[in-house]
Amino acid sequence: MTAYVIRRLLLLPITLFGVTLFVFGVYSFLEPGMKAALYVRDIPKTADALDRIIQKYGLADPFHVQYWRWLNQVFRGNLGWSKTAQRPVLDAILYYFPATVELVLWAAIPVLFIGIWLGILSAVHHNKPIDHASRVFALIGWSFPSYVYGLLLLMVFYAMLHWLPPGRVSDWVIKEINAGTFREVTRIYTIDAIINGRPDVLADVFKHMVLPVITLAYIQWALLLRVTRSSMLETLRQEYVMTARSKGLAERIVVYKHAARNAMIPVATMGGMLLIGLMNGAVITETVFNYRGMGWWAANAATQLDIISVLGFTLFNAVILSLGILFIDILYAVIDPRIRLE
Amino acid sequence: MWRKVLVGAVIGLLGILGWAQIPNPDTMIVATIGDLETLDPAWAYDTASGTAIFNIYETLIFYDGEYVDKFVPMLATSWEISDDGLVYTFTIRKGVKFHAGGDLTPSDVVYSLQRALIQDRAGGPIWMLLDPIFAVHSIEELAEKLGSDEAVYEALQKAIRAEGDKVIITLDHAYGPFIQILAGTWASIVDKEWVIEQGGWDGTANWRPWHDPAAEASELFNKANGTGPFKLETWVPGEYISLVRNENYWREPAKLARAVIKVVPEWGTRLAMFQAGDADIIAVPRQYVAQMDELVAQGKARMMGPFPSSTCQSGFFNFYVTEGSPFMPLLGGEPKPDLLSDIHLRRAINYALDIDTYIKEAWLGEAWQLPGVIPQGRLGYDPTQPVYSFDMEKAEQELRQAWGGQLWRQGFRLTITYNQGNLARKFVAEMIERALESFNAKRQAEGFRGMFVIEVQDLPWPTYLKYMDAGQLAVFFIGWLEDYAHPDNWVKPYMHSTGAFAMNQNFDTVKNVEFAPVYATWLPAKTYDNLQALFDELIALASRETDFAKAEKLYLELNRLAHEYAINVGHIQLLARHYEQLWVRGWFYNPAYPGEYFYVLSKG
C-alpha cells in the first residue's frame, strides 16, 4: 500500500500541471481585448484605455509566454492577485478555506450519522411507515433546490423570528477580532473560540452555523440515506445474513454487526464523494447566507472571469481532491480486506 | 376572556417595545451589492470605492446639499476663477488636521493633484483632470508631447502650484466643468508626508515608478488618512468596510459614531437583513422594488423618490461599420457599412420604437424619454424640445425615403446588439425588430421580394466592449453613468470624436453639413466638412464658454442637433429610488454622490 500511496503522490504534480494547462488553455481562447475588458468595470472612457491594459498585463503575448510567466511566479510561491478577493490568491485560500472547512465539517456530521442511521432504519423497516417517511424526506431533499429552501429558512428564522442570522459571526465578534481581543488562530471559529476560552463567541458561531449547515446537509443527507438503504437492503438478502439469523443471533447484532459493516463499503466510497459534494454545495449555501468561504469566492471569481483566482483555487482544489480520493481508496481497502491497493 | 386580553396586551406591548427599539442607534449599516476596488482616491473609479472615499477624504469644494451645480467651500475657504477661465485660485483652509494628525497645507493640495496626475492608471478617472490642464488624455501622451519625464514634472509644477495660503491651478484652455471635476473623489486631498511614508511618490521628477500601478500596488490601496468626517476602521475585502467618527473633524463631528458598508450580493439576504433591522439602508435592484413597496405599504420602510438619476440608457447608431465586422449591415443583400448614415433610416427606427411601452414594461415606468442627449437637471435640458414619438406611419414614410427608395424596394439586414443578461436592452431591441419587420407584409404586397431582417444578438460583456471599441457594432444598446454633473459629460461621450460612444459611431460619414443656429444665434451659419466636425466645434465652444447664458444656448443647440440627426434611439433617463428604515434621518438625494454621505445621516 505504501508504494501505491507514494506513486499516487508522485502523480500529483503531473495532474496539477494538466489542470492548470487546461484552464489556461480555455482562457487563451479569449482575445486580448476581451481579457482587458475584465479589468474595467465600466465603459472605457478614453480611446487607448483597453490598449494600455493589454500592454500593461501582457495580454497579447503568446499563450506559452503568458503561461510560463504565471508558472514562474507560482514556483516562487506567488499565485498572483485575486481581483475578486482583493488580496493575494494564496492569502485568499488561507482566508476562505478554513471557513468552508468549518461549514463542511459541521455539515458532514449530521449527513454521515443521521444519513446512515436513517438509511439502515429504512432498510430494516422496509416498506413500513418509517421507510416511507424516510423516502419522502429524501425525495424532498433531492427535488427542492437548496437555493430556495436556504432563502426560506432565512426568511423564517432570521427576517421573521430574528433567531438565526446570516454571515459567519456577529458584528461584535468582528469588532473583537479587529481589536485583537479575540485571536484568530486557525480561522475555524469554533476551534478558535475554545482556544480563546470564549463560550459567548462559540455560541455566536453556532447561531450563525445552524441554517447553512441544514441547507448544505439536506441534499447530501438524502443522497446518503438512499445509498445506505439500497446497500443495506441488498446485504440483508445475502445468505450469510440469513445464516446469522438462523443461528438465533439477536436482530440488532445481525443488522449492526454483520450486515451494516458490509453494507458500508459503497457507503464509504459515497461518503468521500459526499465531502466533495459538500464542498461544491458550499457555493450556493455560502452565497445565500453571505458566508464568506471558498464557495463564495469561487463562484464570484468564475462569474467575473477572474482567471488568476480561478487558476489558484483550481490548483488548490486539485490537490485537495487528489488527496481526498487517495484517502477514500485507502479507506476502501481498510473496510474491505479483499481489496488490495497495488 | 381576561386571560386573552392580558395576553394580547403583553404581545402588543412587546411589539411596540420591539418596534420602538432602534438597533445599533449610533451605527449606520448599509447592505450593498459590490465591493470597493481600492481606497486610493486617484485610482478609484467605481461608486463603491467612491462611497468610502468621499466619507474619509475631502476635496477643495463640495456639492451644496442636493444641488449638482452649486458648491460650498470644503478644504478651500474660497476660490476665484480668472476672467478668461484659465486660472483657478483656491485659498486653503487653516486648522484642518488629517486623521493621522498631520496639518493640512497648500503643499498637500498641490501634491495630491500632482500625484493623481502622475499616477493616471489605465482605465482610471484622471483623464478628467488631464484634459483641461494639459489637453491630453494620459500622462504618457504628455510625456511624448514634451519629450521627457523631467519636462512633465516641470509642467506639473507650473500648472499646479502653491503661493502662501493659496493653490493656483492653470488650465490649458477654459473648461466650464472643471469645478465639477474638482468636487469628485479623484481630486481628494491626501497628506503628502504621510503618503511618502507609506512608500508613495516622493514629489520629485522621478515619477515613473508610481505611474499606472495595479490596484494593490498603490500605497493607498487599503490605507486611508483623510480630513473627512469618518476615519477608516477596517476594510475586509469582499465583506465589509467600517468607518468611525473623526472626533477632531474641522466641522461639527458627525452624529453617527460608526458606519458600516456590508457587501451582500444576494438580494434575498439583503432583504432579510432589512426586515430583521440589521441593515438601515439596502440597495434595491429595480426588479425587487415591488417587494420593498409592500414593506412601505405596511409602514415598515420608507421610500424616497423616484428621482432623476445620473444614468441613461440608449441605443447607438454606427454610421460606418468597420470592415470585417460579423455584424455588417446589408442593403439588398450587399454589404453596406454606411447603411445607418442615412438619416431617414435612423428616424424611421426612432419612430418605430414604442418608447412608452418600452419604459413601462422594461423599466416598470421608472424612466423618461429625453430630447437630445442631455438629461434633466443639467444645463441644456429643455423639456419643450421635440422627441420621437411612436408613429408607424411616419416610420413608413421615412423608410420609403431611405437610400432613395432602394431600402424599401430591396430590403436590408441589420443587427442590434446588447450585452448578455441585460433583459431591458433585449426587450427594446426585440421591440424594434418586431416593428421594422412588420413592414414586410406591406412590402411583399407591393411586390418587393427582399426582406427587412433585424437580428437581435446578445454578446458577453468583454466581447461586447471589444466589438464596440473596434467600431464593429451597427446598433448597440448600452448605458452611461455620469462622471461629473455637467452637460459636457453627456455631449462628449455621445457626440465628440473622442467620446466613449461617439468615437465608435463615425459621424464623419455624413459630409457637407449645413449649420444654421437656432439657440446660439451669435454663431454664423456655416457648412462643415462633416457632422463630426460640427459636433466637435460646438462641444469645444460650449465647454470653454465662461458666460453661463451662452454656454446654455450652446448645449441647447447640441441637444437640438442630436435629435435632428437622430444619432440615438430610445435615449431614456432612469429614475432612482431610495429605501431606508423608518428611523433613518437626514438622507437626501444628490445624483453626483457615489453613495451614502454618512455625515448628514443619523438614527432616531
Side-chain angles (χ1 to χ4, degrees):
Chain A
M1 192 197 285
T2 314
Y4 174 81
V5 172
I6 291 169
R7 205 166 55 239
R8 286 282 296 272
L9 289 176
L10 286 175
L11 277 173
L12 189 59
I14 299 170
T15 312
L16 297 182
F17 178 71
V19 164
T20 57
L21 207 61
F22 177 74
V23 176
F24 224 95
V26 172
Y27 176 62
S28 70
F29 281 108
L30 295 178
E31 288 177 29
M34 295 186 195
K35 291 177 194 167
L38 306 174
Y39 289 82
V40 287
R41 283 197 181 185
D42 201 353
I43 300 141
K45 303 290 169 73
T46 54
D48 64 343
L50 288 183
D51 291 337
R52 281 179 65 189
I53 290 168
I54 292 169
Q55 205 181 354
K56 181 179 162 73
Y57 293 102
L59 300 175
D61 292 344
F63 168 77
H64 65 276
V65 174
Q66 292 190 54
Y67 182 66
W68 177 246
R69 195 163 49 219
W70 176 76
L71 208 60
N72 202 17
Q73 289 297 315
V74 171
F75 284 135
R76 293 175 191 184
N78 177 14
L79 288 175
W81 180 265
S82 165
K83 272 184 82 67
T84 319
Q86 296 281 45
R87 59 180 87 219
V89 170
L90 197 60
D91 280 10
I93 292 170
L94 295 174
Y95 184 79
Y96 292 123
F97 189 59
T100 302
V101 166
E102 184 166 34
L103 183 63
V104 166
L105 286 182
W106 280 112
I109 293 169
V111 168
L112 288 173
F113 288 97
I114 302 177
I116 290 172
W117 175 67
L118 276 179
I120 294 173
L121 212 62
S122 188
V124 171
H125 300 280
H126 185 46
N127 280 338
K128 293 198 176 129
I130 194 162
D131 182 30
H132 296 313
S134 301
R135 283 159 69 188
V136 168
F137 175 72
L139 194 72
I140 293 170
W142 265 103
S143 52
F144 207 179
S146 56
Y147 184 76
V148 175
Y149 69 73
L151 272 177
L152 280 177
L153 289 176
L154 199 65
M155 284 299 163
V156 174
F157 292 100
Y158 174 53
M160 284 170 65
L161 300 171
H162 301 198
W163 289 350
L164 303 165
R168 206 172 163 206
V169 284
S170 296
D171 283 352
W172 63 267
V173 179
I174 292 172
K175 271 189 195 169
E176 292 221 16
I177 292 168
N178 292 337
T181 51
F182 181 84
R183 282 186 307 123
E184 290 181 296
V185 184
T186 62
R187 289 214 77 248
I188 296 176
Y189 287 157
T190 34
I191 296 176
D192 287 350
I194 295 166
I195 293 172
N196 282 272
R198 293 290 300 272
D200 53 341
V201 175
L202 190 64
D204 187 71
V205 173
F206 280 137
K207 203 166 80 171
H208 284 80
M209 198 80 81
V210 173
L211 295 184
V213 160
I214 291 172
T215 309
L216 186 58
Y218 196 10
I219 284 188
Q220 310 296 339
W221 212 338
L223 182 70
L224 197 66
L225 188 154
R226 286 193 69 87
V227 171
T228 311
R229 179 180 174 275
S230 31
S231 173
M232 198 62 192
L233 278 175
E234 200 183 319
T235 312
L236 286 172
R237 290 192 196 107
Q238 299 283 320
E239 285 180 359
Y240 77 92
V241 175
M242 282 189 267
T243 311
R245 280 198 180 116
S246 61
K247 275 163 64 183
L249 287 176
E251 185 63 14
R252 206 168 53 84
I253 293 173
V254 171
V255 170
Y256 290 101
K257 194 174 170 189
H258 292 267
R261 183 176 165 129
N262 282 332
M264 283 306 107
I265 295 171
V267 175
T269 316
M270 194 63 223
M273 298 311 287
L274 275 181
L275 273 179
I276 295 164
L278 284 172
M279 296 284 279
N280 291 333
V283 172
I284 291 173
T285 311
E286 288 178 2
T287 306
V288 171
F289 291 99
N290 207 32
Y291 188 98
R292 296 295 193 260
M294 288 288 276
W296 175 86
W297 179 43
N300 274 276
T303 51
Q304 291 174 34
L305 287 176
D306 177 3
I307 190 67
I308 299 299
S309 298
V310 171
L311 280 166
F313 67 69
T314 306
L315 205 63
F316 183 74
N317 266 8
V319 173
I320 295 289
L321 286 184
S322 299
L323 294 178
I325 291 167
L326 181 61
F327 176 74
I328 293 164
D329 286 350
I330 296 167
L331 191 70
Y332 208 57
V334 170
I335 295 175
D336 188 352
R338 290 171 301 179
I339 294 166
R340 290 283 169 268
L341 298 178
E342 285 172 7
Chain B
M1 175 66 191
W2 283 109
R3 273 175 64 184
K4 279 185 183 171
V5 171
L6 192 63
V7 168
V10 170
I11 290 172
L13 190 63
L14 284 174
I16 290 162
L17 286 174
W19 193 245
Q21 194 183 3
I22 299 169
N24 312 304
D26 59 355
T27 301
M28 186 71 68
I29 299 173
V30 177
T32 186
I33 301 167
D35 192 18
L36 45 155
E37 284 196 289
T38 179
L39 283 169
D40 185 342
W43 207 99
Y45 200 15
D46 60 294
T47 50
S49 303
T51 304
I53 289 167
F54 95 134
N55 280 290
I56 297 171
Y57 288 97
E58 287 176 316
T59 45
L60 292 172
I61 51 153
F62 194 54
Y63 295 100
D64 184 2
E66 300 168 23
Y67 297 98
V68 293
D69 51 0
K70 287 184 187 172
F71 298 91
V72 290
M74 290 298 276
L75 296 184
T77 51
S78 64
W79 66 94
E80 284 171 21
I81 305 168
S82 63
D83 292 342
D84 58 5
L86 290 175
V87 182
Y88 286 67
T89 305
F90 296 91
T91 305
I92 305 305
R93 190 177 293 279
K94 292 189 178 74
V96 176
K97 283 201 178 292
F98 286 97
H99 300 157
D103 290 313
L104 172 77
T105 64
S107 153
D108 292 317
V109 177
V110 171
Y111 175 82
S112 303
L113 298 175
Q114 291 183 347
R115 175 183 175 273
L117 290 168
I118 63 106
Q119 188 188 85
D120 182 32
R121 62 106 169 168
I126 303 306
W127 62 273
M128 283 182 267
L129 291 166
L130 282 163
D131 189 7
I133 298 177
F134 294 117
V136 292
H137 286 105
S138 72
I139 199 79
E140 283 173 16
E141 191 186 333
L142 184 67
E144 269 178 39
K145 201 166 140 184
L146 300 178
S148 70
D149 288 1
E150 288 74 23
V152 169
Y153 179 72
E154 281 167 25
L156 283 173
Q157 305 314 310
K158 277 183 198 159
I160 306 165
R161 63 185 202 280
E163 272 184 23
D165 63 347
K166 296 190 175 3
V167 167
I168 299 161
I169 304 173
T170 308
L171 305 188
D172 171 82
H173 51 267
Y175 192 58
F178 190 63
I179 210 80
Q180 268 90 351
I181 291 170
L182 284 181
T185 53
W186 36 82
S188 296
I189 306 307
V190 299
D191 181 347
K192 179 180 178 181
E193 288 73 26
W194 181 82
V195 174
I196 295 171
E197 272 172 31
Q198 308 308 312
W201 176 50
D202 54 6
T204 66
N206 179 30
W207 53 267
R208 277 281 169 187
W210 290 275
H211 167 58
D212 193 14
E216 67 279 10
S218 156
E219 63 281 357
L220 300 187
F221 168 66
N222 55 5
K223 301 181 191 105
N225 175 27
T227 58
F230 287 89
K231 300 193 280 188
L232 172 68
E233 185 183 43
T234 317
W235 174 32
V236 181
E239 295 184 33
Y240 69 93
I241 183 165
S242 59
L243 311 174
V244 287
R245 181 168 51 210
N246 174 13
E247 301 292 354
N248 298 317
Y249 190 41
W250 59 272
R251 290 191 284 177
E252 185 77 15
K255 294 184 189 85
L256 294 169
R258 205 160 166 262
V260 182
I261 304 169
K262 291 188 176 183
V263 184
V264 187
E266 170 51 41
W267 161 249
T269 317
R270 283 204 303 282
L271 177 63
M273 285 175 74
F274 188 87
Q275 287 180 290
D278 286 344
D280 301 298
I281 297 170
I282 57 170
V284 183
R286 202 169 303 271
Q287 64 267 37
Y288 302 118
V289 154
Q291 291 181 41
M292 288 305 291
D293 286 346
E294 186 64 31
L295 290 182
V296 173
Q298 291 169 13
K300 293 178 180 171
R302 183 187 300 126
M303 192 279 281
M304 296 171 86
F307 308 100
S309 78
S310 49
T311 302
C312 286
Q313 294 285 327
S314 331
F316 294 84
F317 295 125
N318 183 355
F319 288 27
Y320 193 96
V321 176
T322 311
E323 280 173 28
S325 164
F327 313 108
M328 181 60 72
L330 303 179
L331 177 62
E334 295 297 321
K336 187 72 178 161
D338 58 347
L339 183 79
L340 286 159
S341 66
D342 187 286
I343 192 164
H344 298 294
L345 177 56
R346 298 195 305 273
R347 283 182 181 158
I349 296 173
N350 268 286
Y351 283 126
L353 172 62
D354 183 355
I355 200 150
D356 293 337
T357 305
Y358 163 49
I359 289 172
K360 194 176 154 200
E361 298 294 328
W363 297 102
L364 308 171
E366 306 261 297
W368 51 52
Q369 187 182 9
L370 292 172
V373 298
I374 299 170
Q376 193 195 84
R378 304 293 174 273
L379 202 64
Y381 170 81
D382 178 359
T384 63
Q385 282 189 330
V387 292
Y388 290 99
S389 302
F390 178 51
D391 189 332
M392 288 298 271
E393 276 181 25
K394 279 188 182 167
E396 185 183 324
Q397 285 167 18
E398 295 286 354
L399 284 168
R400 284 180 185 276
Q401 291 179 66
W403 291 102
Q406 191 187 353
L407 186 130
W408 184 263
R409 290 192 303 274
Q410 298 181 351
F412 72 102
R413 179 185 288 263
L414 189 65
T415 308
I416 304 175
T417 43
Y418 67 95
N419 57 309
Q420 222 162 50
N422 193 309
L423 298 180
R425 291 175 193 165
K426 179 175 189 269
F427 185 85
V428 65
E430 287 176 349
M431 280 185 82
I432 294 172
E433 178 192 17
R434 281 193 298 274
L436 291 179
E437 289 187 352
S438 72
F439 289 110
N440 279 325
K442 195 166 194 176
R443 290 178 56 256
Q444 279 175 334
E446 291 174 19
F448 300 122
R449 293 181 62 194
M451 303 285 278
F452 284 2
V453 180
I454 310 299
E455 289 179 331
V456 174
Q457 176 74 52
D458 63 336
L459 295 169
W461 179 247
T463 318
Y464 193 52
L465 284 190
K466 183 216 143 201
Y467 282 124
M468 190 183 86
D469 202 41
Q472 293 188 327
L473 301 178
V475 183
F476 53 100
F477 275 88
I478 206 160
W480 179 257
L481 169 65
E482 190 176 61
D483 290 305
Y484 46 92
H486 194 279
D488 183 67
N489 198 230
W490 292 96
V491 293
K492 239 190 196 146
Y494 279 70
M495 298 173 83
H496 196 268
S497 54
T498 61
F501 305 123
M503 69 181 166
N504 305 310
Q505 290 181 268
N506 301 302
F507 296 140
D508 57 357
T509 313
V510 179
K511 308 287 184 197
N512 300 319
V513 176
E514 285 179 15
F515 169 66
V518 173
Y519 296 95
T521 46
W522 68 94
L523 291 177
K526 187 175 159 186
T527 303
Y528 286 82
D529 286 347
N530 59 63
L531 187 60
Q532 189 64 74
L534 167 62
F535 287 171
D536 282 5
E537 186 168 305
L538 289 184
I539 291 167
L541 284 173
S543 69
R544 291 168 190 216
E545 183 56 67
T546 49
D547 182 327
F548 181 84
K550 277 189 167 181
E552 184 179 23
K553 299 281 184 203
L554 285 163
Y555 285 119
L556 281 166
E557 200 75 62
L558 279 160
N559 224 23
R560 176 184 72 81
L561 290 171
H563 173 265
E564 190 179 313
Y565 284 94
I567 60 171
N568 297 106
V569 59
H571 182 54
I572 55 169
Q573 181 175 14
L574 305 187
L575 305 181
R577 287 172 179 236
H578 167 83
Y579 290 93
E580 62 183 22
Q581 299 280 7
L582 299 175
W583 52 70
V584 173
R585 299 278 175 267
W587 190 90
F588 59 80
Y589 184 66
N590 183 318
Y593 284 4
E596 316 307 334
Y597 186 48
F598 295 115
Y599 184 66
V600 297
L601 300 181
S602 62
K603 287 164 86 168

